[in-house]
Amino acid sequence: MSDKVIIVEGNRDRRKVLSVLDEDAEIICTNGTIGLEKLDELVDRLEGLDVYILVDADDSGEKLRKQLRREMPNAKHLYIEPVYREVEDAPRTHVADVLQRANILVKTIL
């Protein structure tokens, strides 16, 4: 398992991140919401790893971000521009820029 974990909402978000990622990182999909039991398991499993939260810039994304912030206070929060609203709709270049600013390696040719 990689030392870096990126939490996203859905499979399309996961595919978008994978399309620009140029290092080994685990990408976890919450499928929009996450139950308390599953969240507790996730928190335990990710203890000591570099966790990044990249969710949509909408109400459901912000609700999930708040929940994850409470349970994983050391996670780093990454934000797409609100104009794109969803990670899957953001241009690959923008997603790459967001990841790169967090010192995550991205492909140079997009």
Side-chain angles (χ1 to χ4, degrees):
M1 182 161 90
S2 171
D3 286 348
K4 290 184 181 175
V5 177
I6 303 170
I7 298 177
V8 297
E9 288 182 77
N11 283 320
R12 291 184 192 144
D13 299 337
R14 182 179 186 275
R15 282 195 294 273
K16 178 70 71 145
V17 170
L18 282 173
S19 75
V20 301
L21 195 62
D22 198 26
E23 71 173 278
D24 186 33
E26 181 180 1
I27 302 174
I28 297 174
C29 297
T30 65
N31 297 312
T33 59
I34 188 165
L36 288 178
E37 184 176 324
K38 186 174 178 182
L39 181 58
D40 286 343
E41 291 172 13
L42 189 62
V43 168
D44 290 342
R45 187 167 74 81
L46 301 181
E47 183 79 28
L49 300 178
D50 291 329
V51 178
Y52 300 85
I53 312 294
L54 179 61
V55 296
D56 296 342
D58 59 13
D59 289 341
S60 64
E62 287 307 311
K63 182 179 177 184
L64 177 60
R65 187 182 295 280
K66 271 181 151 177
Q67 183 181 23
L68 293 172
R69 184 176 279 123
R70 270 194 313 272
E71 299 298 324
M72 296 183 215
N74 294 326
K76 296 161 192 80
H77 290 265
L78 310 179
Y79 297 85
I80 61 164
E81 291 294 324
V83 67
Y84 302 122
R85 291 189 46 80
E86 298 182 0
V87 173
E88 70 180 83
D89 292 336
R92 291 173 62 208
T93 52
H94 178 65
V95 174
D97 184 52
V98 168
L99 295 174
Q100 193 169 29
R101 281 184 274 151
N103 296 317
I104 297 172
L105 297 177
V106 297
K107 296 174 183 168
T108 54
I109 300 171
L110 299 174

Short mmCIF file of all heavy atoms in Angstrom, two decimals, residues 15-60:
data_model
loop_
_atom_site.label_atom_id
_atom_site.label_comp_id
_atom_site.label_asym_id
_atom_site.label_seq_id
_atom_site.Cartn_x
_atom_site.Cartn_y
_atom_site.Cartn_z
N ARG A 15 -11.26 8.00 -11.72
CA ARG A 15 -10.67 7.89 -13.06
C ARG A 15 -9.99 9.19 -13.48
O ARG A 15 -8.93 9.18 -14.10
CB ARG A 15 -11.73 7.48 -14.09
CG ARG A 15 -12.05 5.99 -14.02
CD ARG A 15 -12.81 5.52 -15.25
NE ARG A 15 -14.14 6.10 -15.36
CZ ARG A 15 -15.23 5.60 -14.79
NH1 ARG A 15 -15.16 4.51 -14.06
NH2 ARG A 15 -16.40 6.17 -14.97
N LYS A 16 -10.61 10.31 -13.15
CA LYS A 16 -10.01 11.61 -13.50
C LYS A 16 -8.66 11.78 -12.80
O LYS A 16 -7.67 12.17 -13.41
CB LYS A 16 -10.97 12.75 -13.11
CG LYS A 16 -10.45 14.15 -13.39
CD LYS A 16 -10.36 14.50 -14.86
CE LYS A 16 -11.72 14.66 -15.44
NZ LYS A 16 -11.90 15.64 -16.45
N VAL A 17 -8.62 11.47 -11.50
CA VAL A 17 -7.36 11.59 -10.76
C VAL A 17 -6.32 10.62 -11.31
O VAL A 17 -5.17 11.00 -11.53
CB VAL A 17 -7.60 11.37 -9.24
CG1 VAL A 17 -6.28 11.26 -8.50
CG2 VAL A 17 -8.46 12.49 -8.66
N LEU A 18 -6.72 9.39 -11.58
CA LEU A 18 -5.79 8.41 -12.14
C LEU A 18 -5.23 8.85 -13.49
O LEU A 18 -4.08 8.54 -13.81
CB LEU A 18 -6.47 7.04 -12.29
CG LEU A 18 -6.60 6.22 -11.01
CD1 LEU A 18 -7.45 4.98 -11.27
CD2 LEU A 18 -5.23 5.83 -10.47
N SER A 19 -6.02 9.58 -14.25
CA SER A 19 -5.57 10.00 -15.58
C SER A 19 -4.43 11.01 -15.53
O SER A 19 -3.74 11.20 -16.52
CB SER A 19 -6.75 10.57 -16.38
OG SER A 19 -7.11 11.86 -15.95
N VAL A 20 -4.23 11.67 -14.40
CA VAL A 20 -3.17 12.67 -14.28
C VAL A 20 -2.08 12.28 -13.27
O VAL A 20 -1.00 12.85 -13.29
CB VAL A 20 -3.72 14.07 -13.93
CG1 VAL A 20 -4.69 14.54 -14.98
CG2 VAL A 20 -4.34 14.10 -12.55
N LEU A 21 -2.36 11.33 -12.44
CA LEU A 21 -1.45 10.91 -11.37
C LEU A 21 -0.22 10.23 -11.94
O LEU A 21 -0.32 9.39 -12.83
CB LEU A 21 -2.20 9.96 -10.43
CG LEU A 21 -1.60 9.66 -9.08
CD1 LEU A 21 -1.51 10.92 -8.24
CD2 LEU A 21 -2.46 8.63 -8.37
N ASP A 22 0.96 10.57 -11.40
CA ASP A 22 2.20 9.94 -11.86
C ASP A 22 3.01 9.41 -10.68
O ASP A 22 4.23 9.51 -10.66
CB ASP A 22 3.02 10.95 -12.68
CG ASP A 22 4.08 10.26 -13.53
OD1 ASP A 22 3.89 9.08 -13.88
OD2 ASP A 22 5.10 10.89 -13.84
N GLU A 23 2.33 8.91 -9.68
CA GLU A 23 2.99 8.25 -8.56
C GLU A 23 2.01 7.26 -7.96
O GLU A 23 0.82 7.27 -8.26
CB GLU A 23 3.49 9.24 -7.52
CG GLU A 23 2.42 9.92 -6.70
CD GLU A 23 3.03 10.76 -5.58
OE1 GLU A 23 3.37 10.18 -4.52
OE2 GLU A 23 3.18 11.97 -5.77
N ASP A 24 2.55 6.39 -7.14
CA ASP A 24 1.72 5.36 -6.51
C ASP A 24 0.93 5.98 -5.36
O ASP A 24 1.52 6.48 -4.40
CB ASP A 24 2.62 4.24 -6.00
CG ASP A 24 1.83 3.06 -5.47
OD1 ASP A 24 0.74 2.79 -6.00
OD2 ASP A 24 2.31 2.40 -4.53
N ALA A 25 -0.37 6.00 -5.50
CA ALA A 25 -1.25 6.49 -4.44
C ALA A 25 -2.54 5.68 -4.49
O ALA A 25 -3.01 5.33 -5.57
CB ALA A 25 -1.55 7.97 -4.61
N GLU A 26 -3.07 5.37 -3.34
CA GLU A 26 -4.35 4.67 -3.28
C GLU A 26 -5.46 5.71 -3.41
O GLU A 26 -5.41 6.76 -2.77
CB GLU A 26 -4.49 3.92 -1.96
CG GLU A 26 -5.79 3.16 -1.85
CD GLU A 26 -5.96 2.41 -0.54
OE1 GLU A 26 -5.06 2.48 0.33
OE2 GLU A 26 -7.00 1.77 -0.39
N ILE A 27 -6.45 5.42 -4.24
CA ILE A 27 -7.58 6.33 -4.39
C ILE A 27 -8.82 5.61 -3.87
O ILE A 27 -9.18 4.55 -4.36
CB ILE A 27 -7.76 6.77 -5.85
CG1 ILE A 27 -6.47 7.44 -6.34
CG2 ILE A 27 -8.95 7.73 -5.96
CD1 ILE A 27 -6.48 7.78 -7.80
N ILE A 28 -9.44 6.21 -2.88
CA ILE A 28 -10.61 5.61 -2.23
C ILE A 28 -11.85 6.39 -2.62
O ILE A 28 -11.89 7.61 -2.48
CB ILE A 28 -10.45 5.61 -0.69
CG1 ILE A 28 -9.26 4.74 -0.30
CG2 ILE A 28 -11.72 5.15 -0.02
CD1 ILE A 28 -8.92 4.79 1.17
N CYS A 29 -12.87 5.67 -3.08
CA CYS A 29 -14.17 6.28 -3.42
C CYS A 29 -15.12 6.10 -2.24
O CYS A 29 -15.27 4.99 -1.74
CB CYS A 29 -14.78 5.63 -4.64
SG CYS A 29 -13.84 5.83 -6.13
N THR A 30 -15.79 7.17 -1.85
CA THR A 30 -16.78 7.07 -0.77
C THR A 30 -18.17 6.84 -1.34
O THR A 30 -19.10 6.57 -0.59
CB THR A 30 -16.82 8.36 0.07
OG1 THR A 30 -17.27 9.43 -0.76
CG2 THR A 30 -15.46 8.67 0.67
N ASN A 31 -18.31 6.99 -2.65
CA ASN A 31 -19.61 6.91 -3.30
C ASN A 31 -20.59 7.93 -2.74
O ASN A 31 -21.78 7.65 -2.56
CB ASN A 31 -20.16 5.48 -3.24
CG ASN A 31 -19.27 4.53 -4.00
OD1 ASN A 31 -18.87 4.79 -5.13
ND2 ASN A 31 -18.90 3.43 -3.37
N GLY A 32 -20.07 9.11 -2.46
CA GLY A 32 -20.92 10.23 -2.05
C GLY A 32 -21.12 10.35 -0.56
O GLY A 32 -21.00 11.42 0.01
N THR A 33 -21.44 9.26 0.09
CA THR A 33 -21.65 9.30 1.54
C THR A 33 -20.89 8.14 2.16
O THR A 33 -20.49 7.21 1.47
CB THR A 33 -23.15 9.15 1.90
OG1 THR A 33 -23.61 7.91 1.38
CG2 THR A 33 -23.97 10.29 1.34
N ILE A 34 -20.72 8.22 3.45
CA ILE A 34 -20.01 7.15 4.14
C ILE A 34 -20.63 6.98 5.52
O ILE A 34 -20.82 7.94 6.25
CB ILE A 34 -18.50 7.46 4.19
CG1 ILE A 34 -17.72 6.27 4.72
CG2 ILE A 34 -18.20 8.71 4.96
CD1 ILE A 34 -16.22 6.37 4.47
N GLY A 35 -20.98 5.74 5.85
CA GLY A 35 -21.58 5.44 7.15
C GLY A 35 -20.54 5.50 8.25
O GLY A 35 -19.33 5.40 8.01
N LEU A 36 -21.01 5.65 9.48
CA LEU A 36 -20.10 5.78 10.62
C LEU A 36 -19.20 4.57 10.80
O LEU A 36 -18.02 4.70 11.08
CB LEU A 36 -20.88 6.06 11.90
CG LEU A 36 -21.50 7.45 12.01
CD1 LEU A 36 -22.29 7.59 13.29
CD2 LEU A 36 -20.42 8.52 11.94
N GLU A 37 -19.77 3.37 10.64
CA GLU A 37 -18.97 2.16 10.82
C GLU A 37 -17.87 2.07 9.77
O GLU A 37 -16.70 1.82 10.09
CB GLU A 37 -19.87 0.93 10.74
CG GLU A 37 -19.14 -0.37 11.02
CD GLU A 37 -20.06 -1.58 11.02
OE1 GLU A 37 -21.22 -1.46 11.48
OE2 GLU A 37 -19.61 -2.64 10.56
N LYS A 38 -18.22 2.34 8.52
CA LYS A 38 -17.23 2.31 7.45
C LYS A 38 -16.20 3.42 7.64
O LYS A 38 -15.00 3.21 7.40
CB LYS A 38 -17.91 2.44 6.08
CG LYS A 38 -16.97 2.27 4.93
CD LYS A 38 -17.69 2.26 3.60
CE LYS A 38 -16.69 2.12 2.48
NZ LYS A 38 -17.29 2.15 1.17
N LEU A 39 -16.64 4.58 8.09
CA LEU A 39 -15.73 5.69 8.34
C LEU A 39 -14.74 5.34 9.44
O LEU A 39 -13.54 5.61 9.31
CB LEU A 39 -16.52 6.96 8.69
CG LEU A 39 -15.69 8.21 8.93
CD1 LEU A 39 -14.83 8.56 7.73
CD2 LEU A 39 -16.60 9.37 9.29
N ASP A 40 -15.22 4.73 10.52
CA ASP A 40 -14.32 4.32 11.61
C ASP A 40 -13.27 3.34 11.12
O ASP A 40 -12.09 3.45 11.46
CB ASP A 40 -15.11 3.71 12.77
CG ASP A 40 -15.87 4.74 13.58
OD1 ASP A 40 -15.54 5.94 13.47
OD2 ASP A 40 -16.79 4.34 14.32
N GLU A 41 -13.68 2.37 10.28
CA GLU A 41 -12.74 1.41 9.71
C GLU A 41 -11.71 2.11 8.85
O GLU A 41 -10.51 1.80 8.90
CB GLU A 41 -13.48 0.36 8.87
CG GLU A 41 -14.34 -0.59 9.67
CD GLU A 41 -15.21 -1.47 8.78
OE1 GLU A 41 -14.98 -1.53 7.55
OE2 GLU A 41 -16.12 -2.12 9.32
N LEU A 42 -12.18 3.07 8.06
CA LEU A 42 -11.29 3.82 7.17
C LEU A 42 -10.28 4.63 7.97
O LEU A 42 -9.08 4.62 7.66
CB LEU A 42 -12.13 4.73 6.28
CG LEU A 42 -11.42 5.43 5.14
CD1 LEU A 42 -10.84 4.42 4.16
CD2 LEU A 42 -12.38 6.37 4.42
N VAL A 43 -10.73 5.30 9.00
CA VAL A 43 -9.84 6.10 9.85
C VAL A 43 -8.75 5.21 10.45
O VAL A 43 -7.56 5.56 10.43
CB VAL A 43 -10.64 6.82 10.97
CG1 VAL A 43 -9.71 7.42 12.02
CG2 VAL A 43 -11.53 7.89 10.37
N ASP A 44 -9.14 4.05 10.96
CA ASP A 44 -8.16 3.12 11.55
C ASP A 44 -7.16 2.64 10.50
O ASP A 44 -5.96 2.59 10.75
CB ASP A 44 -8.86 1.91 12.17
CG ASP A 44 -9.63 2.27 13.43
OD1 ASP A 44 -9.37 3.36 14.01
OD2 ASP A 44 -10.51 1.48 13.84
N ARG A 45 -7.64 2.30 9.31
CA ARG A 45 -6.79 1.76 8.25
C ARG A 45 -5.80 2.81 7.72
O ARG A 45 -4.69 2.48 7.32
CB ARG A 45 -7.65 1.24 7.10
CG ARG A 45 -6.86 0.52 6.04
CD ARG A 45 -7.75 -0.24 5.10
NE ARG A 45 -8.47 0.55 4.16
CZ ARG A 45 -7.94 1.03 3.02
NH1 ARG A 45 -6.69 0.80 2.72
NH2 ARG A 45 -8.67 1.73 2.19
N LEU A 46 -6.21 4.08 7.73
CA LEU A 46 -5.37 5.14 7.15
C LEU A 46 -4.47 5.83 8.17
O LEU A 46 -3.74 6.75 7.81
CB LEU A 46 -6.26 6.16 6.45
CG LEU A 46 -7.14 5.62 5.33
CD1 LEU A 46 -7.96 6.72 4.71
CD2 LEU A 46 -6.32 4.88 4.29
N GLU A 47 -4.51 5.38 9.41
CA GLU A 47 -3.68 5.96 10.47
C GLU A 47 -2.22 5.99 10.03
O GLU A 47 -1.67 5.00 9.58
CB GLU A 47 -3.82 5.13 11.74
CG GLU A 47 -3.07 5.67 12.93
CD GLU A 47 -3.78 6.82 13.59
OE1 GLU A 47 -5.02 6.87 13.50
OE2 GLU A 47 -3.10 7.66 14.19
N GLY A 48 -1.60 7.16 10.14
CA GLY A 48 -0.18 7.29 9.83
C GLY A 48 0.14 7.53 8.36
O GLY A 48 1.31 7.69 8.01
N LEU A 49 -0.87 7.54 7.49
CA LEU A 49 -0.63 7.76 6.07
C LEU A 49 -0.91 9.23 5.71
O LEU A 49 -1.58 9.94 6.46
CB LEU A 49 -1.53 6.85 5.23
CG LEU A 49 -1.35 5.35 5.44
CD1 LEU A 49 -2.34 4.57 4.59
CD2 LEU A 49 0.08 4.92 5.13
N ASP A 50 -0.40 9.66 4.57
CA ASP A 50 -0.71 11.00 4.06
C ASP A 50 -2.05 10.93 3.34
O ASP A 50 -2.15 10.32 2.28
CB ASP A 50 0.37 11.47 3.08
CG ASP A 50 1.70 11.74 3.76
OD1 ASP A 50 1.68 12.14 4.94
OD2 ASP A 50 2.74 11.55 3.12
N VAL A 51 -3.07 11.53 3.93
CA VAL A 51 -4.42 11.46 3.38
C VAL A 51 -4.79 12.81 2.79
O VAL A 51 -4.61 13.86 3.42
CB VAL A 51 -5.45 11.05 4.46
CG1 VAL A 51 -6.86 11.03 3.90
CG2 VAL A 51 -5.09 9.69 5.05
N TYR A 52 -5.33 12.77 1.57
CA TYR A 52 -5.77 13.96 0.85
C TYR A 52 -7.25 13.80 0.54
O TYR A 52 -7.68 12.73 0.10
CB TYR A 52 -4.98 14.12 -0.46
CG TYR A 52 -3.50 14.26 -0.24
CD1 TYR A 52 -2.69 13.13 -0.12
CD2 TYR A 52 -2.91 15.51 -0.14
CE1 TYR A 52 -1.31 13.26 0.10
CE2 TYR A 52 -1.54 15.64 0.08
CZ TYR A 52 -0.75 14.50 0.20
OH TYR A 52 0.59 14.63 0.42
N ILE A 53 -8.00 14.86 0.74
CA ILE A 53 -9.44 14.86 0.47
C ILE A 53 -9.68 15.74 -0.76
O ILE A 53 -9.36 16.93 -0.74
CB ILE A 53 -10.25 15.43 1.65
CG1 ILE A 53 -9.81 14.82 3.00
CG2 ILE A 53 -11.73 15.30 1.41
CD1 ILE A 53 -10.08 13.38 3.17
N LEU A 54 -10.24 15.15 -1.82
CA LEU A 54 -10.57 15.89 -3.04
C LEU A 54 -12.00 15.55 -3.41
O LEU A 54 -12.28 14.52 -4.02
CB LEU A 54 -9.61 15.52 -4.18
CG LEU A 54 -9.86 16.20 -5.52
CD1 LEU A 54 -9.73 17.72 -5.39
CD2 LEU A 54 -8.90 15.67 -6.58
N VAL A 55 -12.92 16.41 -2.99
CA VAL A 55 -14.34 16.16 -3.25
C VAL A 55 -14.94 17.32 -4.04
O VAL A 55 -14.30 18.36 -4.21
CB VAL A 55 -15.13 15.94 -1.93
CG1 VAL A 55 -14.65 14.68 -1.22
CG2 VAL A 55 -15.02 17.14 -1.00
N ASP A 56 -16.15 17.12 -4.52
CA ASP A 56 -16.82 18.11 -5.36
C ASP A 56 -17.07 19.41 -4.60
O ASP A 56 -17.20 19.43 -3.38
CB ASP A 56 -18.15 17.56 -5.87
CG ASP A 56 -17.98 16.37 -6.79
OD1 ASP A 56 -16.86 16.15 -7.30
OD2 ASP A 56 -18.97 15.64 -7.00
N ALA A 57 -17.16 20.49 -5.36
CA ALA A 57 -17.44 21.81 -4.80
C ALA A 57 -18.94 22.06 -4.82
O ALA A 57 -19.43 23.01 -5.43
CB ALA A 57 -16.70 22.89 -5.59
N ASP A 58 -19.68 21.16 -4.18
CA ASP A 58 -21.13 21.30 -4.09
C ASP A 58 -21.56 20.93 -2.67
O ASP A 58 -20.72 20.62 -1.82
CB ASP A 58 -21.85 20.44 -5.14
CG ASP A 58 -21.55 18.95 -5.03
OD1 ASP A 58 -20.98 18.52 -4.00
OD2 ASP A 58 -21.88 18.21 -5.97
N ASP A 59 -22.86 20.98 -2.41
CA ASP A 59 -23.34 20.74 -1.04
C ASP A 59 -22.97 19.35 -0.52
O ASP A 59 -22.52 19.22 0.62
CB ASP A 59 -24.87 20.93 -0.97
CG ASP A 59 -25.27 22.38 -1.11
OD1 ASP A 59 -24.41 23.27 -0.90
OD2 ASP A 59 -26.45 22.64 -1.43
N SER A 60 -23.14 18.31 -1.35
CA SER A 60 -22.83 16.97 -0.87
C SER A 60 -21.33 16.80 -0.65
O SER A 60 -20.90 16.14 0.30
CB SER A 60 -23.36 15.90 -1.83
OG SER A 60 -22.74 16.00 -3.08
#
